[in-house]
Amino acid sequence: MKNFSASAPSALAGAGRLQSIDALRGLVMLFMLLDHVRETFYLHLQVPDPMVVADTPPGLFVPRMLAHLCAPVFVFLTGLSAYLYASRHADAGQARAAASGFLWRRGLFLVLLEVTVINFAWTFQFPPAKVFLQVIWAIGLSMLALSMLVWLPRRALLVLGVVLVAGHNLLDGLHFPAGHLLHAPWAILHDRGWLELAGVQLRTSYPVLPWVGVIALGYGIGPWFGQACDAARRRQLLLVAGVASLLGFALLRTLNVYGDAPWQAGATTLHTVMAWFNVTKYPPSLLFLLLTLGVGLLLLRGFEARAGARWLAPLATLGAAPMFFYVLHLYVLKCMYLAAVAAWGTNQGQLFGLDRLLWLWVISALLAVALYPAVRWFAALKQRRRDLTWLKYL
């Protein structure tokens, strides 16, 4: 990695945050909210991964595709933000040490948060019979991995990121049965499955190997946001990277040779288009990451070009306190669901559910507006009270 003094982001000298990064993070948080409303009030309309196109109405397919952006963009921006955090130090060694230490502490915190506060928000069971190791777990483990990888030269880090993202699908056929010495580590790294620890079942919903590649790539592009790279050059790099990712997706998807389960023509043109875009998230396939990161890079480029626009401010506010928003909305949604069951009972077997998909968008929009003041307050608190170290972890 080159000397950080030549590539420290200019925005850090001011407010300490880049609006484009926060705005993109805020946008995907809204997509996440939409998906979690679906998972709360439309559980009777299950959407598997990858989706079964013939059985999935467009009204569910579209919000699920939007939600596909969330994890890749968030993990990628986590890596980029780690670079920006480190770049406050002029000395390269100090920068690496600062990044490594913060990533290690934050990663451990996120893993602990996932298995306690966040898992309880989904189940409201204590002690839990099952623990779902989801996106916060994956981000936490990715940060732990990056805390060690930051000591690599930047070029080597980028190469490793590309290898993990592009090559992990070669391992899709590798499985280890329960009881095998490698079953548990492989379930955590690549093969989604169930583990058991002290009588508690653990679901590795987000195998982390490809996510380590994504966070490494985010860290690796950090110099694009430095003083040595002006805004026009940064936008050009983001444009080229985004377009290249989408072209790579289109080529591989059309050829049907590698990177995901093959797609097939559907009964209608709409079903064929849906099948073409229907990519695998668990673990994220190469095509899933080419599509979502390509779109994310272009969105980031667009937000860079519109820096300072008033309409970006609410998105940037949400993106400035993402963990607070994440935890808050989960508990609010769970309480809303329990209140609905208490008021109207279960109308979909053992579940309460809504039939009209319009309500998915209405509830999501109302929740975004209702939660915004609390998130704005917490984001302002983080900016105002930088002396409170613990706030950095939220």
Side-chain angles (χ1 to χ4, degrees), residues 289-322:
L289 292 174
L290 284 175
L291 175 62
T292 54
L293 290 179
V295 172
L297 287 165
L298 294 182
L299 286 171
L300 185 57
R301 191 249 181 207
F303 290 158
E304 280 279 312
R306 300 293 185 271
R310 291 184 62 184
W311 60 271
L312 280 182
L315 291 177
T317 297
L318 292 176

Side-chain angles (χ1 to χ4, degrees), residues 163-181:
V163 168
L164 290 177
V165 167
H168 80 91
N169 283 122
L170 295 172
L171 305 171
D172 287 349
L174 185 60
H175 308 283
F176 298 98
H180 193 283
L181 180 64

Side-chain angles (χ1 to χ4, degrees), residues 139-206:
I139 296 175
L141 289 190
S142 298
M143 294 180 83
L144 293 177
L146 186 60
S147 72
M148 295 175 278
L149 296 177
V150 294
W151 297 97
L152 292 174
R154 175 173 170 263
R155 187 169 299 177
L157 186 65
L158 285 169
V159 169
L160 178 62
V162 170
V163 168
L164 290 177
V165 167
H168 80 91
N169 283 122
L170 295 172
L171 305 171
D172 287 349
L174 185 60
H175 308 283
F176 298 98
H180 193 283
L181 180 64
L182 296 179
H183 173 71
W186 195 237
I188 293 171
L189 287 173
H190 196 263
D191 201 6
R192 195 183 194 206
W194 289 95
L195 304 175
E196 188 167 336
L197 179 65
V200 178
Q201 289 187 302
L202 308 174
R203 173 67 164 172
T204 57
S205 300
Y206 277 72

Side-chain angles (χ1 to χ4, degrees), residues 185-266:
W186 195 237
I188 293 171
L189 287 173
H190 196 263
D191 201 6
R192 195 183 194 206
W194 289 95
L195 304 175
E196 188 167 336
L197 179 65
V200 178
Q201 289 187 302
L202 308 174
R203 173 67 164 172
T204 57
S205 300
Y206 277 72
V208 300
L209 190 62
W211 297 117
V212 173
V214 173
I215 201 171
L217 292 176
Y219 192 92
I221 72 157
W224 295 3
F225 289 80
Q227 289 179 344
C229 184
D230 62 33
R233 175 62 175 163
R234 176 164 58 251
R235 291 196 296 270
Q236 181 184 30
L237 289 169
L238 291 170
L239 177 63
V240 170
V243 170
S245 294
L246 294 180
L247 287 177
F249 165 79
L251 177 62
L252 287 175
R253 195 57 167 160
T254 301
L255 293 177
N256 248 355
V257 293
Y258 177 73
D260 210 315
W263 63 278
Q264 296 179 344

Side-chain angles (χ1 to χ4, degrees), residues 74 107 109-111 113-114 118 133-142 206 323 326 330:
F74 209 90
F109 171 77
L110 292 183
V111 169
L113 195 71
E114 179 74 89
I118 293 175
L133 306 175
Q134 302 190 84
V135 64
I136 303 303
W137 150 275
I139 296 175
L141 289 190
S142 298
Y206 277 72
M323 186 55 63
Y326 187 85
L330 288 181

